[in-house]
Amino acid sequence: MPTVDDILEHIGEFNFFQKQTFFLLCLLSAAFTPIYVGIVFLGFTPDHRCRSPGVAELSRRCGWSLAEELNYTVPGPGPEGQCLRYKVDWNQSALSCLDPLAGLAANGSALPLGPCVQGWVYDTSGSSIVTEFNLVCADSWMLDLFQSAVNVGFFIGSMSIGYIADRFGRKLCLLITILINASSGVLMAISPNYTWMLIFRLIQGLVSKAGWLIGYILITEFVGLRYRRTVGIVYQVAFTVGLLVLAGVAYALPHWRWLQLTVTLPNFCFLLYYWCVPESPRWLISQNKNAKAMKIIKHIAKKNGKPLPGSLQSLRPDEEVGEKLNPSFLDLVRTPQIRKHTLILMYNWFTSSVLYQGLIMHMGLAGSNIYLDFFYSALVEFPAAFLIILTIDRIGRRYPWAISNMVAGAACLASVFIPEDLHWLRVTAACLGRMGITMAYEMVCLVNAELYPTFIRNLGVLVCSSMCDVGGILTPFLVYRLTDIWHELPLVVFAVVGLIAGGLVLLLPETKGRTLPETIEEVENMKSGKKEKKKIHLPMQETQL
């Protein structure tokens, strides 16, 4: 009996139906962007200082400029000026306009300092969760927690989505995640306090990445073997398009509640996919629902304008059921070669997440034009995807992957030593770093499945890619806390972990031209470097963003 892939060869592997469905699911991929990296705009931290009663009136009476007001009334630049204030009654009429502190102490540094008890003044015309809930100074860790909460949601959601989608179907899970994601996003936009905002962001994390993954699974199951790798890469490119759109929307809407509402409401439109995107026929066959699967296949044939031959009216699963092996976590570390693969892949997933999210967060602290910098750095993700498509079947996986990690690490290290006044050079280095880590991120998605035998392949991808979300949980604390010590310190850390990741990739075997390994013995023999004569098109496995 024919498989779905056999039938797709006759009714179209990537024709009108697949292109239409692919476009619709790419919109879903683009809409995931504000949740993954929206912290850059939602949690923007502008320059700030303690709100001191009487300072504004004194400044108005004396006709000070903003620079003069800061010079006379703020203890100094940096954390001291942002989190401490002079314990002075600025309403005193005896204070001079030329040097108001001169009559109180011979040296301004001798005046007692205290915490900001009246709140803060922020140098911005917009708003963010930082300015509204005062997530600065002693409470700055709450911003880290906000971003870590969404990554905790990613971790839990992506760990469970494989089972849920296999148990209840792709389409139902997709629609449920869309509804919960859209509803929690709107509730977050109208949250009355930080606690409720954190809860709704966590819920968004639980379902949003899971929905993104289901969209990826669906489109790769609708297309033929020859197109799976390409649609997998382009599906992630749609995420990059979302980055560009997010930069423009954030520039037009500098107030976080309106921004959150604007990027969330379109998700409700995805509920229309109930009528536009059918269930995966592959999943229906796996559940012995062949009649429903054949009905969808006939619908695909009709959409593609291709006849369905009578000889293809019966179906069988893509993989015949043979001796069933029960995978175990121990299988990922039991033998030397697989153990090496597991440790290196886990480190590279962790590194890719830390550098990708970390570079975006660090850019938000740079103090330049955040919207343009975000836009320019997002643009370089397009050539990153193009380079992957160009090199992966010509040069191979290992060298482009290793070089991309090393370029990202070297760019981070170079940025540390580039002077602030050479802004164009700093932007160039940042873009190179972003392009490098984007390539590395997409490469680890592709290669992970090629380094494990069949019976532990999904387990291997799941366990290794979970380190991506662990990295996302740690990244906010890594970026924001290290920046308080030295602004460039996170870049030094990124450089070290990126260069190490590139070196470790060179210890992995090249998988170009190899069939997917079926047994542990085949994986153990990969270290010999001998290529197989037989070459097939490899199906994509689930990826993590």
Side-chain angles (χ1 to χ4, degrees), residues 132-432:
E132 180 164 337
F133 300 112
N134 290 324
L135 308 184
V136 293
C137 300
D139 290 332
S140 58
W141 62 271
M142 297 171 76
L143 177 61
D144 309 359
L145 181 62
F146 174 80
Q147 182 63 10
S148 291
V150 76
N151 279 281
V152 169
F154 290 163
F155 178 77
I156 298 172
S158 58
M159 288 287 283
S160 59
I161 193 57
Y163 168 77
I164 296 173
D166 287 341
R167 176 69 178 82
F168 300 103
R170 282 75 161 113
K171 183 176 179 178
L172 176 63
C173 289
L174 178 67
L175 294 172
I176 290 175
T177 57
I178 288 171
L179 178 61
I180 297 175
N181 179 36
S183 301
S184 57
V186 171
L187 291 172
M188 177 188 152
I190 60 175
S191 297
N193 53 50
Y194 174 82
T195 302
W196 280 111
M197 180 187 68
L198 187 67
I199 291 172
F200 291 129
R201 194 60 163 182
L202 173 62
I203 295 173
Q204 275 200 298
L206 285 170
V207 297
S208 59
K209 189 172 184 180
W212 186 91
L213 286 172
I214 294 171
Y216 178 86
I217 294 169
L218 266 174
I219 190 56
T220 55
E221 291 185 345
F222 277 131
V223 302
L225 280 171
R226 290 184 298 164
Y227 295 94
R228 288 185 192 168
R229 179 180 295 124
T230 301
V231 298
I233 293 173
V234 178
Y235 183 76
Q236 296 183 65
V237 170
F239 177 88
T240 303
V241 175
L243 293 173
L244 302 179
V245 174
L246 177 61
V249 174
Y251 178 78
L253 298 171
H255 298 280
W256 80 269
R257 290 187 184 272
W258 286 110
L259 174 61
Q260 172 66 15
L261 201 60
T262 301
V263 299
T264 298
L265 288 177
N267 284 276
F268 285 105
C269 297
F270 297 142
L271 294 173
L272 297 174
Y273 287 6
Y274 176 83
W275 293 278
C276 303
V277 179
E279 180 57 88
S280 167
R282 299 177 195 269
W283 178 80
L284 290 170
I285 294 170
S286 72
Q287 302 298 307
N288 295 317
K289 298 179 179 179
N290 289 13
K292 291 183 178 180
M294 183 53 64
K295 182 178 180 181
I296 292 174
I297 288 173
K298 290 179 179 178
H299 171 73
I300 295 174
K302 182 179 179 181
K303 280 276 191 178
N304 289 343
K306 299 288 185 71
L308 180 62
S311 60
L312 301 178
Q313 295 290 330
S314 58
L315 296 165
R316 67 175 171 85
D318 292 331
E319 295 182 4
E320 294 288 355
V321 179
E323 180 186 356
K324 186 173 181 180
L325 297 173
N326 295 317
S328 163
F329 286 101
L330 287 178
D331 291 321
L332 300 178
V333 294
R334 197 187 307 274
T335 57
Q337 195 72 357
I338 292 181
R339 179 167 57 247
K340 182 177 74 172
H341 294 179
T342 299
L343 295 175
I344 293 176
L345 287 168
M346 289 176 73
Y347 181 80
N348 268 270
W349 274 107
F350 177 84
T351 298
S352 296
S353 176
V354 169
L355 263 70
Y356 187 86
Q357 292 194 55
L359 286 174
I360 292 176
M361 291 179 193
H362 190 266
M363 177 176 33
L365 302 173
S368 54
N369 190 322
I370 183 176
Y371 303 103
L372 282 179
D373 289 350
F374 189 92
F375 184 85
Y376 292 148
S377 62
L379 283 176
V380 302
E381 294 194 12
F382 292 105
F386 175 74
L387 286 173
I388 291 175
I389 295 173
L390 191 66
T391 61
I392 195 170
D393 288 325
R394 292 176 173 84
I395 299 174
R397 280 82 156 138
R398 185 172 56 171
Y399 289 118
W401 185 11
I403 291 172
S404 62
N405 270 309
M406 292 178 179
V407 167
C412 290
L413 189 61
S415 297
V416 174
F417 301 101
I418 299 176
E420 290 286 345
D421 55 344
L422 294 177
H423 181 67
W424 67 270
L425 189 56
R426 291 181 67 87
V427 171
T428 301
C431 288
L432 282 175

Side-chain angles (χ1 to χ4, degrees), residues 513-528:
R514 292 180 180 268
T515 60
L516 287 176
E518 298 291 338
T519 65
I520 290 178
E521 289 74 21
E522 289 181 23
V523 177
E524 291 301 308
N525 291 330
M526 291 176 79
K527 61 183 178 182
S528 64

